[in-house]
Amino acid sequence: KGKNKRTIKMGIDCRFLPHGGYALVPATLSTMAWICILVQDGCDYATLSGTSVELLTGSDSIPYAEVGRTAYRTPVYYPDDNTWRVQYSDTCLDYSDFINQDVWWKTSKAFSFLSLVFGGGGTIFLWFTTCIVFGRGTWRWAGFEILTAAFMQSLSLLWFTTEMCSREGSSCGLFFGSKCDLAAVVFWCLASIAIFVKFPKPYPKPLRDEIETAGMLGHAGGGGGSISNEIPMGDYTGSQRLPKGTFM
């Protein structure tokens, strides 16, 4: 029996959907959240009205402005319709020195950047689970990373407490950018819940694929030696699960 035993060299177990279709759920939700952040242009976060508009634009006739963390837009008056409308083809305007970008403003920008980093990194990592086998610990680590992104993104809404929005006679309302931030928080929370609720166990790798892999590695390395995990070919059973040569 000992003569019939062969060992298979195991490296990174890379194949299509080794964890099944469930791995696509958190990956897709995280991607949707990341897209919500990336589609913003920096001057569409909120609508500003009141006395801060005059301070921002230098005109008391402009009724509102669309503001963001880095720039803003002002509407144009159309006498034919007697309405004010924003031309989105125009470039955003930089803030003047008269606008105080206080600590809440800077804090919001910092949290927004951190959420983009954590969320983007976690999203890319989750897509790797569609082709590489990961362990339960790594899966949960990704969940904590996505949950951190959701927490950071929610804190970025502190921008509404800035002096420009909270000045007497002024107010800021939700607009495209802030609504996208809220949607990102929801998507990232749902993705983290999907991760913590279930770990999709990897499916066993077909024995024929392991034999072919071993043959290719054997040819490339001269046919000798073994790497970390060994599978006795003579003792294989259908119930045998994946070797431990995966990311933990």
Side-chain angles (χ1 to χ4, degrees), residues 123-147:
T123 299
I124 294 173
F125 179 83
L126 285 172
W127 279 109
F128 276 106
T129 63
T130 62
C131 61
I132 298 177
V133 176
F134 289 94
R136 186 183 299 271
T138 307
W139 179 259
R140 290 180 63 84
W141 178 85
F144 284 115
E145 186 175 7
I146 295 299
L147 188 60

Side-chain angles (χ1 to χ4, degrees), residues 80-134:
D80 294 339
D81 302 331
N82 193 28
T83 58
W84 291 83
R85 294 197 302 270
V86 173
Q87 291 289 338
Y88 291 101
S89 58
D90 295 341
T91 58
C92 298
L93 303 173
D94 295 329
Y95 288 107
S96 65
D97 296 334
F98 295 103
I99 300 300
N100 178 28
Q101 298 189 20
D102 55 15
V103 63
W104 296 115
W105 195 312
K106 296 175 182 178
T107 300
S108 174
K109 290 175 68 174
F111 280 127
S112 179
F113 173 75
L114 289 174
S115 68
L116 184 64
V117 173
F118 278 96
T123 299
I124 294 173
F125 179 83
L126 285 172
W127 279 109
F128 276 106
T129 63
T130 62
C131 61
I132 298 177
V133 176
F134 289 94

Side-chain angles (χ1 to χ4, degrees), residues 1 8 41 49 53 72 99 136 148 154 162 198 201 212 215 222:
K1 183 177 179 180
I8 293 179
D41 63 5
S49 59
V53 177
Y72 69 97
I99 300 300
R136 186 183 299 271
T148 300
S154 62
T162 58
K198 179 181 179 180
K201 295 181 179 179
E212 292 175 354

Side-chain angles (χ1 to χ4, degrees), residues 115-238:
S115 68
L116 184 64
V117 173
F118 278 96
T123 299
I124 294 173
F125 179 83
L126 285 172
W127 279 109
F128 276 106
T129 63
T130 62
C131 61
I132 298 177
V133 176
F134 289 94
R136 186 183 299 271
T138 307
W139 179 259
R140 290 180 63 84
W141 178 85
F144 284 115
E145 186 175 7
I146 295 299
L147 188 60
T148 300
F151 179 68
M152 296 291 183
Q153 195 63 61
S154 62
L155 289 178
S156 70
L157 294 170
L158 288 171
W159 191 85
F160 285 94
T161 63
T162 58
E163 180 184 343
M164 185 174 67
C165 290
S166 59
R167 181 181 289 110
E168 185 178 357
S170 300
S171 63
C172 289
L174 295 175
F175 195 53
F176 179 78
S178 53
K179 290 178 181 179
C180 284
D181 277 4
L182 290 172
V185 172
V186 173
F187 283 132
W188 271 327
C189 285
L190 292 175
S192 61
I193 291 173
I195 293 172
F196 291 130
V197 165
K198 179 181 179 180
F199 169 64
K201 295 181 179 179
Y203 294 107
K205 189 175 183 179
L207 181 59
R208 184 174 65 179
D209 292 347
E210 296 177 355
I211 295 173
E212 292 175 354
T213 302
M216 289 187 292
L217 290 173
H219 285 302
S226 61
I227 299 178
S228 65
N229 299 291
E230 298 182 351
I231 300 179
M233 298 299 292
D235 296 340
Y236 180 84
T237 62

Side-chain angles (χ1 to χ4, degrees), residues 6-70:
R6 293 179 56 192
T7 60
I8 293 179
K9 298 180 179 182
M10 300 302 297
I12 297 176
D13 189 0
C14 183
R15 49 200 167 95
F16 182 65
L17 291 179
H19 292 274
Y22 187 81
L24 293 173
V25 175
T28 302
L29 289 171
S30 296
T31 302
M32 294 173 67
W34 203 23
I35 291 174
C36 286
I37 306 303
L38 295 176
V39 295
Q40 303 177 38
D41 63 5
C43 55
D44 57 358
Y45 194 74
T47 55
L48 175 67
S49 59
T51 56
S52 291
V53 177
E54 183 178 353
L55 180 63
L56 178 65
T57 62
S59 172
D60 58 356
S61 61
I62 299 178
Y64 69 94
E66 295 178 1
V67 295
R69 295 189 182 95
T70 58

